Amino acid sequence: MQFGEGDYLARAKLNGRWYKSKSFSVEAAPGTVAATTTLTPNHDAELERLKAQIESQRLEMERDRQAREQRNHELQLKMLEALSSRGGNQAGPSLTGLVASVEALRNLAGNSGTLTGFKELLEITDHINALRECASR
């Protein structure tokens, strides 16, 4: 046998048109030792390379997500520090200012859900109220 045992794909072309493909397998001849095909190592190596590439991309995406979360956290801390340094006598930020701040944070973090933004706004408002209570004591 010229090509030996293995899996093959037969394709037919007639008058410039391809027709259905048919895959088939050929077993080793009786009494012979089955040889490994040369395609398997290349195929396995390609699969491993692709798996490594996917894992690398996943790790990069995770690092990017963590960096966004860290920037978001730092911005929230700076905003709260600025509010607490004002003192308890001054009026806090307006609701419009809070909404604009939350929108800016969401844009940095890549979040687009309105419910998430509303929850963030409530959390920030709770933080501001707690700081005001601490400052007034």
Side-chain angles (χ1 to χ4, degrees), residues 34-104:
T36 58
T37 63
T38 57
L39 294 178
T40 303
N42 292 337
H43 180 69
D44 290 343
E46 180 67 11
L47 281 176
E48 290 302 316
R49 186 189 68 77
L50 291 173
K51 284 180 185 178
Q53 185 179 8
I54 288 170
E55 181 64 17
S56 171
Q57 290 174 351
R58 187 192 67 75
L59 290 173
E60 184 179 346
M61 288 172 51
E62 179 64 20
R63 281 191 301 270
D64 290 346
R65 184 191 63 76
Q66 288 176 351
R68 277 194 315 271
E69 285 181 0
Q70 181 64 31
R71 284 191 308 269
N72 188 11
H73 179 70
E74 289 171 1
L75 285 171
Q76 287 176 349
L77 287 177
K78 285 181 182 181
M79 187 172 75
L80 292 174
E81 286 173 7
L83 290 173
S84 65
S85 67
R86 286 179 163 185
N89 298 335
Q90 294 184 359
S94 67
L95 184 58
T96 305
L98 286 174
V99 170
S101 299
V102 169
E103 182 180 9

Side-chain angles (χ1 to χ4, degrees), residues 78-136:
K78 285 181 182 181
M79 187 172 75
L80 292 174
E81 286 173 7
L83 290 173
S84 65
S85 67
R86 286 179 163 185
N89 298 335
Q90 294 184 359
S94 67
L95 184 58
T96 305
L98 286 174
V99 170
S101 299
V102 169
E103 182 180 9
L105 289 173
R106 280 181 33 222
N107 289 339
L108 282 174
N111 296 333
S112 59
T114 55
L115 183 58
T116 303
F118 183 69
K119 286 180 181 178
E120 288 178 58
L121 177 61
L122 290 177
E123 288 174 6
I124 291 172
T125 304
D126 287 341
H127 286 296
I128 291 170
N129 288 336
L131 287 172
R132 284 183 184 157
E133 288 175 12
C134 288
S136 65

